[in-house]
Amino acid sequence: MSSPNSGATDLAGVTATLVRDLAGDTVECTACAHRCELDSGQRGVCRVRENVDGELRLLTYGLVYDTPYGPPGTVDPVEKKPLYHFKPGTDILSFGGASCNFACKFCQNNHIAFSDPEEIELREVSPEEAVASARAQGADGIAWTYNEPTIYAEYVRDGARAAHEEGLYTGLVTNGYFTEEFLDEVGPHIDAMNIDVKGFREAPHRKFMGATLQPTLDSVERVQARDIHLEVTYLVIPDLTDDPEELQEFTNWVADIDTTIPVHFSRFHPDHEMTDRPPTPIETLERAHETAVDAGLEYIYVGNIRSQEFNSTYCPECGQTWIRRTGFDSTVVTDPSESCSCGREVDIVP
């Protein structure tokens, strides 16, 4: 574990705006679907939003988990988020912070997601500094990712607004466990989201993720109804989320919302408290892909494996290659601003 903050920040935070006053000094945090009701001195499930004398404060506003050296943030290809149908071939500057509102037993970022903000070294990066860093490093956008961005909603909102003012695009990688109030407050400043659906059964979701499933499903539907580009990731975990009937129900549900939503089936890798399970067999991922095809989904990918076949984008009508991908390297074959040779609109945000 990294060393605690060494006096550079006092975690006083800023006043949160996603909040509802209750009786006395009690407040309800309205950022995420836990809707924590907090008495003075209490922190939410996320451990970064605290009631201080009747005022809800975001303790980690402008604090990110990052090396103290060089410009802040990590430059990633946008395909790594994964966002396959949004600004292909561009770079996006990624930021994350402390803690989470889930408790996934397989979390690959557990070193930050399971840490209180006092327990890890955090770097101060204002929204304006994040934008300047993106410009300096040649990134075309900014993403909030690694841990759950919903819990530092006000920082995301201000950072995204500053990014738009400088002509940068914005993205979230999220578990979708946010409220309609969050979407009203932050959504207008976000261009793209990847929502991670961690299974399609309520009881295992509670046990292995520490939260209910339905709010995430509600968020997928809400985001799709707004002017935000949406892609969905489904983590296929052996003997947990890989049941053929569950996969069929999930793909049918997505198809009922919109068959053009890109779906990424992500391969599980053992981590944190779930090192007893093997990586997802390739044949299981292939079966998930086939199930999605049968459900009528038009853009289906298999993540965490190096396969051009399962990661390139093809026209659903004629099969023409639109984008060829190997790993996170992408080559745009068909200009997204034009139609496919068959006349189909190219469902890619250029």
Side-chain angles (χ1 to χ4, degrees):
M1 181 176 292
S2 300
S3 61
N5 294 296
S6 55
T9 57
D10 59 8
L11 295 185
V14 301
T15 301
T17 55
L18 284 163
V19 60
R20 185 168 69 94
D21 291 331
L22 301 177
D25 283 342
T26 304
V27 299
E28 177 191 41
C29 176
T30 60
C32 97
H34 286 299
R35 293 189 178 274
C36 297
E37 295 186 5
L38 306 173
D39 295 327
S40 183
Q42 288 187 316
R43 293 187 184 183
V45 170
C46 67
R47 307 187 299 283
V48 301
R49 301 174 77 85
E50 180 178 357
N51 182 337
V52 179
D53 298 326
E55 179 184 88
L56 184 66
R57 299 187 70 80
L58 169 58
L59 304 179
T60 55
Y61 184 98
L63 297 176
V64 302
Y65 183 76
D66 191 35
T67 172
Y69 308 105
T74 301
V75 178
D76 290 321
V78 72
E79 287 82 4
K80 192 175 181 179
K81 297 302 98 186
L83 290 168
Y84 276 15
H85 287 239
F86 183 82
K87 306 290 184 180
T90 63
D91 286 332
I92 190 166
L93 189 67
S94 298
F95 290 98
S99 198
C100 190
N101 58 356
F102 273 21
C104 300
K105 295 184 183 295
F106 46 82
C107 180
Q108 294 185 344
N109 288 323
N110 58 82
H111 59 295
I112 59 174
F114 283 82
S115 294
D116 290 346
E118 296 90 350
E119 295 178 322
I120 56 176
E121 190 170 350
L122 299 171
R123 179 176 182 175
E124 292 185 71
V125 181
S126 70
E128 294 74 21
E129 288 170 332
V131 170
S133 182
R135 285 295 191 200
Q137 298 188 71
D140 300 287
I142 297 179
W144 293 270
T145 176
Y146 303 137
N147 73 323
E148 177 49 47
T150 301
I151 66 176
Y152 45 96
E154 292 82 3
Y155 179 55
V156 172
R157 176 201 62 205
D158 294 349
R161 183 185 291 132
H164 277 173
E165 288 174 354
E166 291 299 319
L168 301 173
Y169 67 75
T170 59
L172 289 188
V173 181
T174 170
N175 60 30
Y177 207 72
F178 48 73
T179 62
E180 196 152 8
E181 293 96 319
F182 171 91
L183 205 51
D184 288 341
E185 181 87 2
V186 180
H189 311 290
I190 301 300
D191 297 310
M193 287 191 196
N194 186 297
I195 297 181
D196 196 0
V197 178
K198 303 173 189 285
F200 211 65
R201 293 284 185 269
E202 186 66 52
H205 200 278
R206 289 173 182 263
K207 180 178 179 180
F208 289 92
M209 276 58 88
T212 57
L213 170 64
Q214 191 59 48
T216 294
L217 305 185
D218 291 342
S219 290
V220 170
E221 297 187 19
R222 287 170 179 158
V223 170
Q224 181 61 18
R226 299 200 179 204
D227 189 24
I228 302 172
H229 175 77
L230 172 66
E231 304 193 22
V232 172
T233 294
Y234 183 100
L235 182 61
V236 185
I237 304 175
D239 298 322
L240 182 60
T241 66
D242 63 343
D243 179 74
E245 184 175 324
E246 182 175 359
L247 290 167
Q248 184 174 50
E249 290 178 14
F250 165 72
T251 55
N252 287 342
W253 169 75
V254 176
D256 285 344
I257 300 170
D258 192 330
T259 58
T260 67
I261 296 174
V263 170
H264 304 259
F265 289 109
S266 186
R267 191 183 194 191
F268 167 81
H269 290 289
D271 211 326
H272 194 37
E273 297 179 7
M274 289 183 65
T275 57
D276 58 328
R277 301 179 192 231
T280 316
I282 299 298
E283 54 268 25
T284 301
L285 297 166
E286 291 174 344
R287 186 181 70 232
H289 186 280
E290 183 178 345
T291 300
V293 170
D294 291 342
L297 297 182
E298 298 184 353
Y299 306 111
I300 312 149
Y301 305 100
V302 176
N304 290 338
I305 65 170
R306 196 170 181 84
S307 167
Q308 188 176 111
E309 176 187 0
F310 288 120
N311 283 286
S312 295
T313 300
Y314 308 98
C315 176
E317 301 293 336
C318 69
Q320 177 176 317
T321 301
W322 289 350
I323 301 177
R324 184 178 297 111
R325 299 185 187 87
T326 302
F328 299 124
D329 296 327
S330 64
T331 301
V332 176
V333 179
T334 303
D335 188 343
S337 64
E338 299 179 359
S339 297
C340 182
S341 59
C342 70
R344 164 85 181 225
E345 180 182 353
V346 179
D347 294 320
I348 304 289
V349 179

